[in-house]
Amino acid sequence: MRKPERILLVTGRLAEPLVRKYGKGCDIFVTPVSVAAFLTPELIVRYLKKAGLNSGDYDLILIPGLVRGSARVIEEELGIPAFKGPRNAMDIPQVLKALSEGFKLSREIPADDLFSVDALKRVKDIRNRTRDKNYIEKALKKPWNVLIGNLPAGRDFPARILGEVVDAPKLGVEKTVWKALYYLREGADIVDLGMVAGETNPEFIEQIPEIRERLEESGFQVPISFDSLNTAEIEKALDYADLFLSVDGGNIEELVTEKPVVLIPTNQKRGIFPVKPAERVAFLEGLKEKALDFGYKTVIPDLILEHVPHLARSIAAFQLYRERNRDDVLLAGVGNVVELYDADSVGMNALLAGIAKELSINLLLTTEVSAKTRGSVRELRRAIDMNFFETPKDLGFDLLILKEKRTREWRFKPAENVIEAEEKPVQLEPIYFRIWIENGKIWANAHRGTEVLLTIAGKEPNAIMDTILEHFEISPRHAFYLGRELERAKTALKLRRSYVQEVELFREFYEGD
């Protein structure tokens, strides 16, 4: 399709000012419907025909993204290509720019969703290309790629995520498998079995084949890494795992293997850990040389990513090492940085993944032990996908969870009569409700006194509210209160936060004292 020059934007009356503001260079057709979301393709056809629109008047018609149904109806009736625009008028410039660059819009999918679909398809294409057998065979001939179990890793592949099951022996097989499956479904590539510091657990190590079998039964044939500094444990696990964390100056002579090992710049037995970047790099380079001389086949250096206040020096060590050893596959443990900083994890994981891309750090180890790190694997996976592009901005998908990319204009002209809201006393009612979240659902108990009359469970506040109203007579004020709490519970579920009835999810941080 040639570049459209004459574009008609269809809107409702309330959105007209915004559409005129952001749709400069286009003609605007304002329907008699107040809210654009109430329009249908059939209504739009009727209004445009009534206005005398002809097939040669425009090259393209854009209807609001919120309109239900297909724009194909409009095209068939009027003979003008018709597509869905964005949901919000402020995104019209982005859509017009995409059109001028040859972007193909959809008759069924809103344009803003289409940007995301297009970008994620490109991500999928990149990942699928690196799964091709011929691609892998060629890539593994290069020194900067390695094979971990059945998984290739290195410069020519996406960064791989290791999800650590912390203190796996304490969890046992059942809970370890559950946690591993959770990580894999969130986007992890490797399951890391974290052993218990100061203990030796040979019985658990013998159960690794069972863990692997259980994962395969669930459709995941993935490498298993073994995370311990206990020489006896690592020796026993050599036949069961695919990658070993960690070998250092204290056990390097005892654990020679052809399987990949992660080498760290320490000697735990002698209490050695160089803190200065240059000394750390030199120490690790010396260990790597020893490891190769001893017969280790695949060595993956880890300079140890420290938490604040030592983060900068450890990043400097990674950078210096990378400058001096361009072909090595590197690993970094990002979970420690996130865990020891009381800030939302999403931005931290995004930044750490960006640093990893710049330094070509190919394996990222994380875990989700505390509540504030929940979702870290998914966040890292999204950040890695964003890093496939030159700049992780304006991609159609992002990691903006609590903040927004642009402020959306949504205001209307008030009536002449404006009154201040006034709260009224609350009248107690015989029926009251206790709301909580559990297993991905919202639950509500209806009480009369101490008696629980009924439990209602669901995922959508509207459905729960409708069910409550079907079974109980409550006042409008009570219904409003329940609606507010149910929406708050749903928000908590979406953000993987805890929820307590009548307790605010977010404290007032941005408001003045």
Side-chain angles (χ1 to χ4, degrees):
M1 186 177 71
R2 65 185 178 85
K3 175 184 173 182
E5 296 179 358
R6 299 168 300 165
I7 299 175
L8 178 66
L9 304 178
V10 177
T11 187
R13 288 185 297 180
L14 289 177
E16 178 187 357
L18 291 176
V19 174
R20 291 196 183 280
K21 177 180 178 180
Y22 291 107
K24 292 177 180 178
C26 300
D27 287 349
I28 314 297
F29 181 84
V30 183
T31 67
V33 175
S34 297
V35 181
F38 294 158
L39 287 168
T40 65
E42 292 77 13
L43 274 176
I44 293 172
V45 168
R46 187 190 310 169
Y47 294 139
L48 290 176
K49 281 186 174 181
K50 189 175 180 181
L53 191 75
N54 296 312
S55 61
D57 291 344
Y58 293 97
D59 299 320
L60 184 143
I61 297 173
L62 274 184
I63 67 173
L66 289 171
V67 172
R68 294 185 179 183
S70 173
R72 189 180 300 277
V73 175
I74 302 169
E75 184 171 331
E76 291 173 349
E77 289 287 336
L78 299 174
I80 303 172
F83 300 94
K84 283 195 173 181
R87 290 184 177 86
N88 295 283
M90 63 176 298
D91 292 324
I92 290 174
Q94 184 183 2
V95 173
L96 296 177
K97 181 176 183 291
L99 273 172
S100 70
E101 295 170 352
F103 187 82
K104 293 183 179 179
L105 296 179
S106 168
R107 296 173 178 85
E108 288 78 28
I109 303 172
D112 36 349
D113 283 355
L114 204 61
F115 292 147
S116 177
V117 169
D118 181 69
L120 292 174
K121 182 180 182 301
R122 283 185 282 166
V123 168
K124 187 177 180 180
D125 289 343
I126 292 170
R127 287 189 174 275
N128 284 340
R129 188 179 73 246
T130 61
R131 295 188 183 105
D132 178 75
K133 182 179 179 181
N134 292 330
Y135 179 93
I136 293 171
E137 287 179 357
K138 290 179 181 178
L140 288 176
K141 293 176 181 178
K142 300 173 184 177
W144 52 78
N145 300 309
V146 299
L147 190 65
I148 301 171
N150 60 354
L151 181 73
R155 190 191 306 171
D156 294 324
F157 298 92
R160 306 303 193 183
I161 299 172
L162 290 78
E164 181 185 0
V165 182
V166 176
D167 291 343
K170 289 184 178 180
L171 295 179
V173 170
E174 198 68 35
K175 290 183 178 179
T176 294
V177 170
W178 182 89
K179 189 71 172 181
L181 287 173
Y182 163 75
Y183 283 147
L184 293 169
R185 289 167 181 149
E186 290 287 282
D189 303 286
I190 299 172
V191 173
D192 183 62
L193 300 180
M195 301 301 284
V196 181
E199 294 184 9
T200 302
N201 288 282
E203 298 84 4
F204 178 80
I205 296 170
E206 291 173 354
Q207 293 176 309
I208 292 177
E210 180 183 349
I211 293 171
R212 189 190 297 276
E213 184 178 345
R214 295 275 296 276
L215 297 180
E216 290 177 353
E217 288 173 356
S218 297
F220 294 99
Q221 293 186 339
V222 298
I224 291 177
S225 62
F226 188 80
D227 201 338
S228 174
L229 277 166
N230 183 316
T231 302
E233 285 188 331
I234 298 176
E235 285 180 333
K236 189 169 185 63
L238 287 176
D239 292 331
Y240 302 121
D242 304 295
L243 172 67
F244 297 90
L245 289 69
S246 298
V247 172
D248 78 345
N251 61 11
I252 191 170
E253 297 183 26
E254 305 167 51
L255 299 168
V256 178
T257 176
E258 291 190 354
K259 290 184 177 182
V261 299
V262 174
L263 193 63
I264 59 175
T266 67
N267 186 319
Q268 298 284 335
K269 291 180 179 179
R270 296 173 56 188
I272 296 174
F273 174 50
V275 295
K276 292 182 179 180
E279 294 176 359
R280 192 181 307 187
V281 169
F283 187 86
L284 189 54
E285 287 174 335
L287 282 182
K288 183 181 73 170
E289 188 176 342
K290 282 184 180 180
L292 296 175
D293 287 343
F294 285 141
Y296 287 89
K297 185 177 180 181
T298 304
V299 174
I300 300 172
D302 172 9
L303 279 295
I304 300 183
L305 197 61
E306 300 172 88
H307 60 82
V308 174
H310 305 305
L311 177 60
R313 75 183 185 192
S314 58
I315 292 175
F318 269 101
Q319 182 176 15
L320 180 59
Y321 188 93
R322 175 53 79 206
E323 289 173 354
R324 292 165 53 160
N325 303 271
R326 296 191 175 276
D327 291 347
D328 285 7
V329 173
L330 300 182
L331 178 144
V334 298
N336 197 39
V337 179
V338 178
E339 179 65 51
L340 293 171
Y341 206 122
D342 282 345
D344 289 334
S345 63
V346 60
M348 299 181 70
N349 279 318
L351 184 60
L352 290 168
I355 292 171
K357 178 193 177 184
E358 289 191 28
L359 300 180
S360 190
I361 299 173
N362 319 101
L363 298 162
L364 301 177
L365 172 68
T366 194
T367 188
E368 299 182 17
V369 177
S370 67
K372 68 184 178 184
T373 62
R374 198 172 298 150
S376 284
V377 170
R378 181 179 289 253
E379 292 160 11
L380 278 175
R381 176 67 176 235
R382 171 56 64 89
I384 290 168
D385 287 348
M386 293 172 68
N387 287 335
F388 288 146
F389 302 87
E390 185 176 352
T391 304
K393 184 178 182 292
D394 297 331
L395 302 176
F397 68 104
D398 52 51
L399 272 168
L400 292 166
I401 310 299
L402 300 178
K403 297 284 184 93
E404 57 186 355
K405 188 176 178 66
R406 291 183 294 273
T407 301
R408 301 192 180 277
E409 293 190 34
W410 185 253
R411 60 175 69 92
F412 305 98
K413 183 179 179 180
E416 291 184 7
N417 185 25
V418 179
I419 61 174
E420 287 294 323
E422 182 180 348
E423 189 171 355
K424 304 294 184 182
V426 177
Q427 300 294 324
L428 295 179
E429 299 182 26
I431 303 296
Y432 65 95
F433 296 83
R434 285 287 174 258
I435 301 168
W436 75 99
I437 58 176
E438 186 178 355
N439 296 328
K441 288 185 177 181
I442 305 169
W443 301 71
N445 274 352
H447 292 259
R448 181 185 288 116
T450 58
E451 181 185 4
V452 180
L453 303 176
L454 182 69
T455 298
I456 301 167
K459 293 185 177 182
E460 289 299 325
N462 283 345
I464 297 172
M465 196 67 239
D466 287 344
T467 308
I468 288 173
L469 294 174
E470 183 182 344
H471 288 82
F472 303 98
E473 290 188 10
I474 59 175
S475 68
R477 176 66 180 273
H478 196 176
F480 173 80
Y481 162 78
L482 290 174
R484 182 187 67 194
E485 285 298 325
L486 290 169
E487 282 294 340
R488 185 181 289 163
K490 182 178 179 180
T491 300
L493 279 176
K494 288 173 68 175
L495 296 177
R496 300 184 178 182
R497 291 180 63 107
S498 55
Y499 163 82
V500 178
Q501 192 170 348
E502 297 187 16
V503 175
E504 293 288 343
L505 287 179
F506 307 104
R507 60 183 179 178
E508 296 177 355
F509 177 77
Y510 292 103
E511 295 187 7
D513 295 332

